[in-house]
Amino acid sequence: MSTTAPAGTAPDKGFRRAAVILLGLLGAIQVADPLISSLALVKASDELNFSASTQSLAAGISTLALAATAIPGGMLADRYGRRLLLALSVLVATAGQLMTATAGLIDPKAGTAVLFYLLGRIITGVALGVTFGASYGMLRNVSSQKSLGPAMATYNIVNGIIPVIAMVLGGVLIGINWRLAYLILPVISVIAFFFVKPILPKIDKLPASKVDYLGMLFVAIGIAGLLYGISGATNGFDHPAFYVPVIIAIISLVFFGIRENRTKAPVFPIKLLSHPAFLGAVVMGIFWNMASASMSQMLPNIWQYVTHIPAALLGAASLPMSAAGIIGSVIAGAALGKGSMPRTTSVIGYALMVIGFFTYVTLTPTASYMLFLPGMIIAATGWMMNATSQGNLFITLAPAKFYGPVTSSKLAVGQFGYALGLTGSTVMVSMFTLAGVSKATKGAVAGDSNWDSITSYLATGKTTDTALAAVSTSDLAGIYTSAFITTIVIVAVVTAVAGAVMYLLLKNKKASIPVDEYLGLTN
């Protein structure tokens, strides 16, 4: 592999448990944030009158902002120190979450309410991108090389436990008022802030160098534009809201690649993307995150709209998925600690995800909660096996000269996949549902503007729209369930193809070439 950044504080054997647990707690704030937001989104959307496209954007905008700024955040961590960035970023994230919680508090119908909600999510995403990247990158400084797998598993376990607690509490608070759910993480953030300096080591900063601001701008526009375009797909793939941002994004990413390949001070070593092992880790990260996000977004929605699980119980309903994820982390961490290859643990994880998703193909509108359990447990075990494997790969493959940007790019990759899953699944379910409703009403109820009334009718069984009322709630639930199944099958097929590509890349003979040697950094 490569020589990583200076790690003078790293132990020769084992890992510093207290430090890893605190780093896991800090990283868990970012993990829990989109989950809580997904649970609260239905009620927030109803109170603030989101359209289908706005709901799709709200579902993924924080991860969009996070993915766009993660690589620059890693560079800042190298330059100013990870411990300092960790302390500051959780406070900024707190400010963003409080903005979201108070959006439209005085007047939910005000034109600024939606804007304030989205702005709060953007600030939260940017800040938590720095938090997660810095906490993850510091694992190398508190763990020996041989214990990195078990340390990563411990980190991921804490990443799993905190969101479980937050989701259960969030479900209860959402039952009272959705705004209260956004206050959970600010409390955790402020408490964690006071433990950063006493527990975490001060890491040597990398020497200051020229900053490629243009490169950072290109990658931010590219990722943000791509995800924004996906969120506008509810209007149709031939609509400017979809193809204009996507075209701009592709052009920007091409310019980013050209710029990074030519400049003497690149933000990111672009040649690294052609290294089979790193490219395999990227593919792994994008698609396990996509699969995880799709499930995390779709299940709470169908439970509220079709199964009619009370909002206060949504967090508890997701507990088996979180528990299974912890088991997946333990399995992968133990295997990696005993010398198992990341490609082995990851391909098993991908197979489990695909199997889990296909358990839903026979789902009916009258299915009980118990029928959701097998898919949740199997798939969650699989994606957390990948989370641990991918985390191990990104740290061991990161060259010292670009340690911060490369390790933080894991977050950009993962959150791109996560946002793709959130927005993509939301878009597909709404598209298939809208198409089904339009067919059932013979075109009387069609288009994005009817999404709020459709979901309200599903949730409450009441509507003032006479054309929509002509469709029974049982038939409407059938349309929504069919949309859910179609979407989950598409996600399963994409995941299977991605898993095969990932395995072939990691098995490639060139995957064993040390990264520093591959990039010409050994001189």
Side-chain angles (χ1 to χ4, degrees):
M1 295 300 177
S2 71
T3 304
T4 57
T9 60
D12 294 329
K13 295 181 179 180
F15 59 89
R16 303 187 196 283
R17 192 168 301 276
V20 171
I21 290 173
L22 179 58
L23 291 172
L25 172 64
L26 291 164
I29 296 171
Q30 185 277 316
V31 177
D33 176 73
L35 297 177
I36 290 175
S37 190
S38 294
L39 292 177
L41 184 58
V42 170
K43 287 204 168 184
S45 175
D46 183 56
E47 183 173 336
L48 301 179
N49 292 314
F50 289 172
S51 65
S53 57
T54 299
Q55 188 178 33
S56 298
L57 180 61
I61 195 168
S62 66
T63 47
L64 182 157
L66 184 153
T69 57
I71 292 176
M75 186 189 67
L76 290 174
D78 278 349
R79 175 164 293 193
Y80 298 107
R82 284 180 181 77
R83 192 172 70 174
L84 175 62
L85 264 291
L86 277 172
L88 294 177
S89 62
V90 291
L91 296 182
V92 175
T94 294
Q97 288 156 344
L98 292 177
M99 285 181 65
T100 302
T102 56
L105 185 60
I106 297 175
D107 182 7
K109 309 300 181 184
T112 57
V114 173
L115 178 62
F116 205 69
Y117 180 97
L118 295 177
L119 183 58
R121 298 302 297 146
I122 291 172
I123 292 173
T124 300
V126 171
L128 290 183
V130 175
T131 301
F132 190 94
S135 68
Y136 162 72
M138 193 178 277
L139 282 176
R140 182 64 182 87
N141 303 107
V142 297
S143 172
S144 65
Q145 181 73 20
K146 290 184 178 180
S147 296
L148 189 56
M152 184 68 63
T154 301
Y155 180 89
N156 285 337
I157 288 170
V158 179
N159 271 194
I161 292 174
I162 299 303
V164 167
I165 297 172
M167 286 172 66
V168 172
L169 181 57
V172 174
L173 294 177
I174 289 168
I176 302 171
N177 190 308
W178 64 268
R179 300 176 187 278
L180 296 177
Y182 285 104
L183 302 181
I184 298 172
L185 298 181
V187 172
I188 296 175
S189 297
V190 171
I191 293 173
F193 171 82
F194 291 101
F195 287 93
V196 170
K197 188 173 181 179
I199 294 179
L200 300 181
K202 185 176 182 181
I203 309 302
D204 292 338
K205 305 171 187 175
L206 291 183
S209 59
K210 185 178 179 181
V211 178
D212 182 16
Y213 293 106
L214 186 58
M216 289 194 294
L217 179 63
F218 281 143
V219 72
I221 293 174
I223 295 175
L226 192 60
L227 297 180
Y228 184 81
I230 292 171
S231 72
T234 49
N235 299 304
F237 295 110
D238 59 344
H239 195 282
F242 169 72
Y243 66 76
V244 170
V246 169
I247 291 173
I248 293 173
I250 292 173
I251 293 173
S252 186
L253 290 174
V254 169
F255 280 142
F256 173 70
I258 295 173
R259 172 75 180 180
E260 297 305 285
N261 194 47
R262 293 180 178 179
T263 183
K264 294 181 179 180
V267 175
F268 183 93
I270 203 71
K271 187 180 177 182
L272 185 60
L273 290 173
S274 64
H275 189 287
F278 188 77
L279 183 57
V282 168
V283 172
M284 184 193 306
I286 289 176
F287 292 98
W288 82 253
N289 273 284
M290 181 202 73
S292 169
S294 297
M295 186 81 87
S296 298
Q297 179 70 18
M298 293 169 67
L299 288 181
N301 286 349
I302 195 169
W303 288 339
Q304 291 179 87
Y305 295 145
V306 177
T307 314
H308 297 294
I309 294 176
L313 297 179
L314 290 177
S318 299
L319 278 176
M321 191 159 57
S322 301
I326 293 172
I327 294 171
S329 293
V330 172
I331 292 172
L336 292 170
K338 293 179 180 179
S340 177
M341 299 293 287
R343 69 169 179 257
T344 302
T345 53
S346 61
V347 78
I348 293 172
Y350 262 76
L352 290 174
M353 284 189 285
V354 174
I355 293 170
F357 292 150
F358 272 110
T359 63
Y360 292 120
V361 295
T362 59
L363 202 67
T364 66
T366 58
S368 69
Y369 167 76
M370 297 300 293
L371 294 178
F372 289 91
L373 284 175
M376 292 165 60
I377 294 171
I378 295 170
T381 301
W383 68 56
M384 287 310 294
M385 289 182 69
N386 276 273
T388 304
S389 303
Q390 187 206 4
N392 186 80
L393 278 172
F394 265 71
I395 287 180
T396 55
L397 289 169
K401 186 177 179 181
F402 300 99
Y403 186 73
V406 171
T407 53
S408 289
S409 72
K410 171 188 178 292
L411 186 58
V413 165
Q415 291 310 309
F416 170 74
Y418 201 88
L420 186 65
L422 285 177
T423 56
S425 62
T426 303
V427 165
M428 284 191 287
V429 169
S430 63
M431 285 178 62
F432 295 138
T433 301
L434 288 168
V437 171
S438 178
K439 182 178 180 180
T441 61
K442 298 181 180 180
V445 180
D448 176 66
S449 60
N450 289 287
W451 180 250
D452 188 55
S453 60
I454 291 171
T455 55
S456 178
Y457 185 30
L458 271 170
T460 65
K462 299 177 182 179
T463 182
T464 57
D465 188 327
T466 54
L468 184 58
V471 181
S472 68
T473 53
S474 60
D475 286 343
L476 191 57
I479 292 171
Y480 189 92
T481 302
S482 177
F484 173 91
I485 294 171
T486 302
T487 300
I488 208 74
V489 167
I490 292 172
V491 172
V493 171
V494 171
T495 301
V497 173
V501 171
M502 171 207 67
Y503 182 77
L504 292 175
L505 285 168
L506 293 177
K507 195 177 180 182
N508 189 294
K509 291 182 179 180
K510 292 183 179 180
S512 61
I513 300 175
V515 173
D516 285 335
E517 178 184 329
Y518 189 83
L519 297 176
L521 300 174
T522 54
N523 295 329

